[in-house]
Amino acid sequence: MKFTEFAGLFAAALVASVIALFAISFVVDTINGASEPVATAHPEKPAVAAKSAEPVAAEPTKSVSPAKVASAAPAAKPAGKKRHPGRKIYLRKGACAACHGRKGQRAISYYPSIAGQDKKYIITQIADIIKGTRVGGLDPATGHPSTEAMRGALVTSDGTARISNDDIRQMADWLTHLPPARPRTPETPIPAENIAKGKKLFGKCLSCHGKQGKKPLRGYPFLAGQKRQYLLMQMTFIRDKIRTNGKTKVMLPFVKKLSDEQLGMIADYLSQIDRSKK
Ligand code: HEC
Ligand code: HEC
């Protein structure tokens, strides 16, 4: 065989194997539901219609193109690791991206952003949701308790969890090092007055969540830049003793007397804070 023929064959084989690799990673990602779901509006729910989406569980309807899969760069490099094992568990075994976005930032609907959250808090919450000790009030889109979608995706019909405690720790270690989501511009501008009042009301909360919700005690949640509706729901659930897991009890005296309107203003304020800024 002449060298030119050999080089031609070699190049053809190389192209074929690259295509095969693309195809495999595409199929694997599709099966594992690692891609973003398409947001579907709820015509019957005008209040949340524009930005809300059906919690599509682990079955996203849109799949990522092979090229996109191949070029998806690792978002965090804790301890210099390009490919953190927690990322793989999050994207594949956990199929968390369907609801929380590929980098934990662009969650669908009013589901929480989890990138850059406190590591210990992430661990306790995933465990509590799987165990069923963390429940929330009714999700306005589905009518089910708000933790049901996630629990349904992670617990099989015979009650066993699809992910182990070690999986949870690995994912938490990866997620906590990711850059937190930037605040979203609200559809209807928030009156400056609400922000000012919310800031004042939040004065009572600093001892645990830190200035601007940016410096929580260890194991407590960051609140700055979290989604407005999610914040409002959780404050209401904790106030009304629907969410009673973990350390929620220590917070109760601080929210007990706050009205829906006051909680709304706190959510207005916190949701607009950019955690990347000092
Ligand atoms: C079917 C959608 C869905 C899937 C899949 C899902 N989650 Fe969730 N997750 C939610 C919803 C909804 C909430 C908020 C529940 C509530 O309102 O109380 C949540 C809450 C959380 C929280 C708590 C956030 C906070 O601020 O308290 C963490 C952490 C979390 N999810 C991580 C994960 C991880 C990691 C995976 C994959 C193993 C995952 N989730 C899979 C929908 C989902
Ligand atoms: C004494 C400490 C403490 C104080 C004060 C406190 N919190 Fe909390 N807060 C917590 C803890 C602890 C949690 C997490 C509970 C758990 O373990 O699941 C929490 C959770 C939350 C959450 C849910 C976050 C999420 O990601 O789901 C919101 C929102 C919140 N607090 C808002 C407030 C506001 C607003 C105030 C003031 C009116 C306040 N907190 C005062 C301790 C406190």
Side-chain angles (χ1 to χ4, degrees):
M1 187 191 294
K2 279 195 200 125
F3 175 70
T4 46
E5 278 171 18
F6 174 76
L9 269 177
F10 181 73
L14 199 68
V15 168
S17 55
V18 166
I19 289 170
L21 266 179
F22 271 164
I24 290 165
S25 80
F26 175 60
V27 168
V28 167
D29 257 45
T30 310
I31 290 168
N32 285 295
S35 48
E36 308 279 351
V38 174
T40 43
H42 275 274
E44 77 283 10
K45 295 267 165 23
V48 288
K51 279 206 168 161
S52 85
E54 196 77 59
V56 282
E59 285 177 18
T61 44
K62 198 185 88 183
S63 40
V64 173
S65 75
K68 212 170 151 193
V69 171
S71 67
K77 298 172 190 172
K81 270 191 207 163
K82 263 194 170 178
R83 292 269 161 184
H84 191 291
R87 178 182 182 268
K88 200 169 157 194
I89 300 165
Y90 178 88
L91 291 176
R92 303 193 169 203
K93 192 170 172 190
C96 319
C99 294
H100 292 288
R102 288 184 74 82
K103 293 176 186 173
Q105 292 184 343
R106 299 200 65 84
I108 63 164
S109 192
Y110 34 79
Y111 291 2
S113 306
I114 53 176
Q117 186 53 277
D118 177 274
K119 183 175 168 182
K120 200 175 158 204
Y121 178 73
I122 297 177
I123 295 173
T124 58
Q125 300 309 306
I126 300 174
D128 285 358
I129 290 174
I130 289 179
K131 274 188 286 183
T133 51
R134 173 173 163 180
V135 277
L138 298 187
D139 184 322
T142 61
H144 299 301
S146 60
T147 45
E148 201 85 319
M150 175 159 154
R151 192 165 186 275
L154 296 178
V155 178
T156 58
S157 51
D158 66 357
T160 44
R162 287 202 300 105
I163 50 171
S164 68
N165 288 341
D166 193 53
D167 290 339
I168 296 175
R169 273 193 295 274
Q170 294 278 15
M171 288 188 291
D173 189 58
W174 176 66
L175 284 164
T176 196
H177 291 93
L178 296 182
R182 288 271 167 84
R184 299 182 172 208
T185 316
E187 276 163 85
T188 38
I190 298 171
E193 194 198 336
N194 285 21
I195 306 249
K197 282 190 186 159
K199 183 176 178 183
K200 201 159 168 240
L201 289 165
F202 192 70
K204 280 190 188 175
C205 323
L206 304 182
S207 56
C208 292
H209 295 288
K211 205 177 161 212
Q212 296 190 305
K214 285 180 182 174
K215 272 198 169 179
L217 300 177
R218 189 165 169 266
Y220 289 17
F222 284 92
L223 305 175
Q226 183 57 275
K227 288 183 175 175
R228 185 189 180 281
Q229 197 183 342
Y230 174 76
L231 288 168
L232 183 55
M233 282 167 75
Q234 297 306 315
M235 289 186 283
T236 313
F237 298 162
I238 292 173
R239 181 195 65 186
D240 300 346
K241 296 190 207 161
I242 298 169
R243 173 174 166 187
T244 56
N245 71 308
K247 296 215 176 91
T248 43
K249 216 183 230 168
V250 300
M251 173 167 148
L252 197 56
F254 298 87
V255 276
K256 216 164 59 181
K257 295 206 178 86
L258 296 178
S259 66
D260 290 351
E261 198 197 357
Q262 286 173 316
L263 294 184
M265 291 187 288
I266 296 176
D268 283 341
Y269 163 66
L270 288 172
S271 64
Q272 294 309 305
I273 297 171
D274 190 342
R275 251 181 77 192
S276 66
K277 295 202 179 109
K278 277 264 148 77

